[in-house]
Amino acid sequence: HTQTMEINAFAAQKASLDSFQHMNMTRYAPGDEDVSFDIKYCGICHTDVHFVENDLGFSQYPMVPGHELIGVVTAAGSKVSNFKVGDYVGVGCMVDSCLECKYCKKDEEQYCASGNTGTYGGVAKYGRCGEVGKSTIGGYSDKMVVNERFAIKIPQNAP
């Protein structure tokens, strides 16, 4: 990926729930296997609190939490087969993995031998969810881009 897109985000600036600020940030523009969507809803999980407050000792700031996302597809790459513009889409706690190991080949990316990449606060390793070595940006933002393999189609008639 070489192209990017600007997003609006709500990011923790330090290990404090009182440190959130609006920020303009950059995500990769969608590639051939990616789905881009406007985020309509993002759950707030207690994990977000632990990460923001650096309870596990490895948080990086600014941090944009959020790993329970639902939105509406705005673009689908040329190789995307399961989504089209206007579809409802969800993303959970992972946005990438090696896609090559025995676990990934069995759709068990959570056990990826090289390590999966979390939706936020993870380190991009494979070049599909952000610049390699940089922290991933979660759902406390207005737009998301994800490889279709890590997206879930939400039925149009879902409440």
Side-chain angles (χ1 to χ4, degrees):
H1 292 285
T2 56
Q3 300 204 352
T4 60
M5 59 192 266
E6 294 298 313
I7 65 165
N8 296 306
F10 200 51
Q13 305 300 307
K14 61 183 179 180
S16 169
L17 294 175
D18 295 331
S19 72
F20 279 92
Q21 294 180 6
H22 282 81
M23 292 183 69
N24 294 319
M25 301 182 96
T26 304
R27 283 198 195 278
Y28 275 176
D32 290 342
E33 298 175 352
D34 295 332
V35 175
S36 179
F37 63 96
D38 287 341
I39 297 172
K40 300 298 182 185
Y41 306 97
C42 179
I44 298 174
C45 176
H46 201 72
T47 303
D48 300 342
V49 174
H50 288 299
F51 272 60
V52 168
E53 293 187 334
N54 198 23
D55 291 341
L56 303 174
F58 56 77
S59 296
Q60 296 180 7
Y61 304 94
M63 175 191 296
V64 180
H67 63 267
E68 299 166 340
L69 320 177
I70 294 179
V72 177
V73 175
T74 56
S78 61
K79 295 181 181 175
V80 171
S81 59
N82 295 321
F83 297 92
K84 64 184 183 320
V85 172
D87 283 347
Y88 295 163
V89 61
V91 171
C93 63
M94 290 179 291
V95 291
D96 206 2
S97 68
C98 79
L99 305 180
E100 307 274 328
C101 72
K102 68 180 182 178
Y103 301 108
C104 289
K105 291 187 182 291
K106 294 190 310 184
D107 295 330
E108 295 179 345
E109 294 89 350
Q110 69 273 24
Y111 302 119
C112 177
S114 298
N116 66 59
T117 303
T119 303
Y120 73 87
V123 176
K125 299 178 189 180
Y126 310 105
R128 288 182 290 268
C129 64
E131 185 180 342
V132 172
K134 299 286 185 177
S135 185
T136 53
I137 301 169
Y140 292 15
S141 57
D142 63 347
K143 299 179 186 321
M144 182 70 171
V145 176
V146 67
N147 181 287
E148 82 168 311
R149 185 166 174 163
F150 295 91
I152 301 162
K153 194 167 191 173
I154 307 292
Q156 292 285 329
N157 63 351

